[in-house]
């Protein structure tokens, strides 16, 4: 993941405030704001300094299933569960990679060696 995508994801999480929330993207003013009920807490951030790369970063996050865009215009953005738990997901993927790439081949070779020794002992 790029640094820009990670920064934008963390800012979106701050604006969304909880996993069940939604964020409104105002393309005219380049701001993200919390979709909220009246008198409920809300936040707003400006991303004017990202104006040239914002769409590509959002599409990258969407492609990785870290955000969802609820409408065709991309005005409503929601950080998914994987986006909220990005580090847990990364650790889980690393653990699965280590298990499937290292531990399974080691176990298979150990079993194969034991079978070969058992066959050599009986012959």
């Amino acid at each position: 993941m790029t640094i820009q995508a990670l920064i934008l994801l963390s800012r979106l999480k701050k604006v969304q405030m909880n996993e069940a929330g939604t964020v409104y993207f105002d393309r005219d003013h380049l701001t993200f704001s919390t979709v909220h009920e009246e008198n409920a807490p809300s936040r707003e951030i400006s991303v004017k300094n990202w104006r040239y790369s914002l769409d590509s970063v959002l599409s990258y996050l969407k492609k990785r299933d870290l955000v969802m865009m609820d409408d065709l215009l991309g005005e409503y953005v929601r950080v998914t569960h994987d986006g909220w738990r990005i580090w847990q997901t990364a650790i889980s993927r690393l653990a699965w990679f280590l298990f499937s790439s290292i531990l399974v081949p080691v176990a298979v070779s150990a079993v194969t060696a034991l079978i070969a020794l058992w066959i050599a002992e009986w012959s």
Side-chain angles (χ1 to χ4, degrees):
M1 171 173 295
T2 63
I3 293 172
Q4 292 84 1
L6 191 60
I7 291 170
L8 182 61
L9 184 65
S10 68
R11 288 184 181 178
L12 283 172
K13 289 194 297 190
K14 286 180 185 175
V15 172
Q16 187 171 328
M17 297 174 68
N18 60 42
E19 198 169 339
T22 304
V23 175
Y24 175 73
F25 177 40
D26 185 359
R27 290 191 181 274
D28 295 333
H29 297 102
L30 291 173
T31 59
F32 287 103
S33 57
T34 307
V35 175
H36 61 93
E37 297 177 10
E38 192 173 330
N39 297 326
S42 66
R43 292 187 180 146
E44 181 176 303
I45 61 165
S46 174
V47 288
K48 289 181 181 178
N49 56 345
W50 293 47
R51 75 177 63 97
Y52 301 114
S53 63
L54 186 61
D55 286 328
S56 62
V57 174
L58 279 173
S59 67
Y60 172 79
L61 290 172
K62 184 179 178 185
K63 186 186 296 183
R64 300 223 24 211
D65 293 328
L66 299 174
V67 298
M68 292 175 54
M69 297 193 185
D70 293 338
D71 61 342
L72 296 174
L73 299 175
E75 291 179 337
Y76 293 97
V77 180
R78 192 164 28 112
V79 179
T80 63
H81 181 73
D82 285 344
W84 276 95
R85 310 287 181 236
I86 186 73
W87 297 113
Q88 291 176 3
T89 305
I91 290 170
S92 173
R93 288 181 183 163
L94 176 66
W96 180 251
F97 171 76
L98 291 175
F99 176 76
S100 62
S101 298
I102 296 171
L103 295 178
V104 170
V106 167
V108 169
S109 64
V111 169
T112 305
L114 288 174
I115 291 173
L117 287 174
W118 183 69
I119 291 173
E121 185 178 305
W122 286 97
S123 49

